[in-house]
Amino acid sequence: MILYDNHNRPLTYLRLSVTDRCNLRCFYCMPAEGIDWLPKSQLLSFEEIIRIVQLLAQLGIRKLRITGGEPFVRKDIMKLLDKLINLPGINEVHITTNGVLTAPFVRELKQMGIASVNLSLDTLDEKRFAAITHRNEFSKVMQTFEQLLSQSIPVKINAVVMEGKNEADIYSLIELTRNHPVSVRFIEEMPFNGSGAHYAQLNWNHKKILSHIRTAYPELQKLPDTPGSTAAMYHITGFTGTIGIIAAFSRTFCGSCNRIRITAQGMLKTCLYDDGVLNIRDLMRAGKSDTEVVAELLKAFTSRPRNGFEAEEKRKAIPVHESMSTIGG
Ligand code: SAM
Ligand code: SF4
């Protein structure tokens, strides 16, 4: 079965946040003092997560990304991953992590059959890492990176480009692609920092990131677009890895968006920029049958906003005070 939304876009990809808690405090994601963590009882239980994924797999979801908060702060996350990887219909399970607690689990992730790991790393400078994340955990993240390479797990580095904070890191992160089979993706900063602070305009947008890269690497080649991918991909001749630019604030990719999100408290988002369209956890806790939950899900997919701008306009909560750690990125 293939599920289509009201704009005829196939929905095949689910991003699910397993917790809003985190052991870093990246300033673009949450304030230094953290956010009000959800009570544990409000988080989806493992049983609820598995039930939702099973239902969505029956509807055509094939790719799953586990995210957070930081997935590895959730107790027994490896047990959950093992179950999800083995669910019928789910072809690929990926995970996004900050890498602080991940290194000891990398070998097991490989054995389980994880499809890839996205590692968030905005700088290769230890001091800047501490300034951005408010924690001194750089060496642990680098250990995770090394482990991922040594286990040959496909790895993407996610780097948010932040004005006045890490422009100097763009070139050093690109240098990782010279000899490593890694994809380094530069992400426009989005307004989900948990504090309601917003840019009217984003200076470091995808165009500026691209022209900055071209200045130092004029041989940059554009790679063909992959359907449903949010990243415009590039390659530097002679380099092993690839480079991506994700226009997450400019929202240039909505026309082929194949993804839905479920937040840590079980809220379905049919667009990153909406404020949640259906609380699946509440339906399940109210004792709804699988058929009833599926009917609600199908209804939600018939009113997906055309793009992130339309979703933002329809939000009830403006300005956005959400943290990306609740949404999952
Ligand atoms: N804690 C994990 C991590 O950092 O990889 C997973 C959750 S984190 C919310 C997922 C991704 O969202 C990370 O790559 C992070 O850089 C990105 N992110 C968080 N806040 C963002 C923002 N305001 N703008 C752009 N990307 C953001
Ligand atoms: Fe934590 Fe990830 Fe948010 Fe950083 S981006 S504070 S690591 S959830």
Side-chain angles (χ1 to χ4, degrees):
M1 164 165 183
I2 301 182
L3 185 63
Y4 290 93
D5 73 4
N6 45 316
H7 301 289
N8 219 22
R9 294 171 294 197
L11 298 176
T12 53
Y13 179 13
L14 167 65
R15 298 168 69 99
L16 188 140
S17 169
V18 290
T19 179
D20 61 335
R21 287 162 203 249
C22 190
N23 45 1
L24 295 183
R25 297 286 181 275
C26 306
F27 86 95
Y28 49 76
C29 181
M30 63 173 80
E33 65 277 14
I35 53 173
D36 292 333
W37 308 125
L38 293 164
K40 289 208 172 125
S41 60
Q42 284 197 30
L43 296 179
L44 290 170
S45 68
F46 283 4
E47 291 70 29
E48 287 167 337
I49 291 173
I50 288 162
R51 184 173 167 205
I52 293 176
V53 177
Q54 276 171 327
L55 293 178
L56 285 166
Q58 284 164 23
L59 295 178
I61 292 293
R62 295 287 167 262
K63 174 176 172 183
L64 172 65
R65 173 170 305 282
I66 293 302
T67 177
E70 173 48 39
F72 285 90
V73 303
R74 177 115 188 214
K75 192 164 166 275
D76 290 334
I77 184 69
M78 294 299 280
K79 286 190 187 151
L80 176 68
L81 286 173
D82 194 34
K83 291 214 169 84
L84 293 171
I85 285 172
N86 289 303
L87 284 184
I90 296 298
N91 298 341
E92 311 165 26
V93 177
H94 306 253
I95 192 160
T96 302
T97 173
N98 63 28
V100 173
L101 299 172
T102 320
F105 298 104
V106 170
R107 188 183 288 263
E108 207 181 327
L109 285 171
K110 173 77 178 184
Q111 283 162 358
M112 263 180 196
I114 198 89
S116 80
V117 174
N118 283 11
L119 181 66
S120 300
L121 181 61
D122 307 310
T123 175
L124 293 176
D125 178 276
E126 191 159 9
K127 284 204 182 103
R128 279 201 289 276
F129 180 92
I132 292 166
T133 65
H134 296 109
R135 297 288 185 273
N136 286 310
E137 302 284 19
F138 178 72
S139 59
K140 289 197 192 139
V141 181
M142 291 311 288
Q143 273 171 27
T144 295
F145 180 51
E146 281 154 24
Q147 283 289 318
L148 290 167
L149 289 176
S150 77
Q151 291 294 324
S152 303
I153 294 181
V155 51
K156 293 178 187 163
I157 296 217
N158 283 352
V160 180
V161 179
M162 295 158 272
E163 173 132 38
K165 294 270 193 319
N166 70 341
E167 296 101 324
D169 291 290
I170 295 178
Y171 296 154
S172 51
L173 285 164
I174 285 178
E175 281 302 315
L176 287 178
T177 73
R178 189 183 284 274
N179 295 315
H180 297 302
V182 57
S183 185
V184 173
R185 291 124 44 93
F186 297 100
I187 308 176
E188 287 180 350
E189 189 180 343
M190 291 179 269
F192 300 115
N193 46 36
S195 71
H198 287 251
Y199 300 103
Q201 266 186 326
L202 187 69
N203 183 24
W204 276 92
N205 63 18
H206 62 114
K207 290 184 188 155
K208 179 155 175 172
I209 297 170
L210 179 59
S211 78
H212 181 72
I213 297 174
R214 275 207 202 285
T215 308
Y217 301 96
E219 69 276 36
L220 193 72
Q221 305 278 338
K222 174 88 175 67
L223 296 172
D225 290 328
T226 317
S229 170
T230 52
M233 295 303 300
Y234 299 86
H235 177 244
I236 298 169
T237 313
F239 282 31
T240 310
T242 56
I243 296 158
I245 301 179
I246 303 184
F249 183 84
S250 306
R251 289 160 256 182
T252 52
F253 42 66
C254 301
S256 62
C257 178
N258 62 354
R259 55 194 65 197
I260 55 172
R261 291 176 167 78
I262 296 178
T263 68
Q265 68 270 53
M267 181 64 86
L268 173 71
K269 276 174 171 274
T270 57
C271 171
L272 175 58
Y273 282 83
D274 72 33
D275 49 7
V277 295
L278 178 71
N279 194 312
I280 309 171
R281 180 204 62 197
D282 289 352
L283 290 179
M284 293 191 298
R285 292 191 187 173
K288 299 287 180 196
S289 67
D290 284 356
T291 315
E292 287 168 318
V293 175
V294 164
E296 292 288 336
L297 286 168
L298 290 175
K299 200 164 112 200
F301 300 142
T302 62
S303 55
R304 251 185 122 213
R306 180 177 297 279
N307 55 42
F309 297 101
E310 191 181 301
E312 201 173 16
E313 266 170 31
K314 285 191 185 154
R315 281 185 78 103
K316 290 176 246 11
I318 291 181
V320 179
H321 273 80
E322 243 172 332
S323 160
M324 195 65 103
S325 74
T326 318
I327 307 171

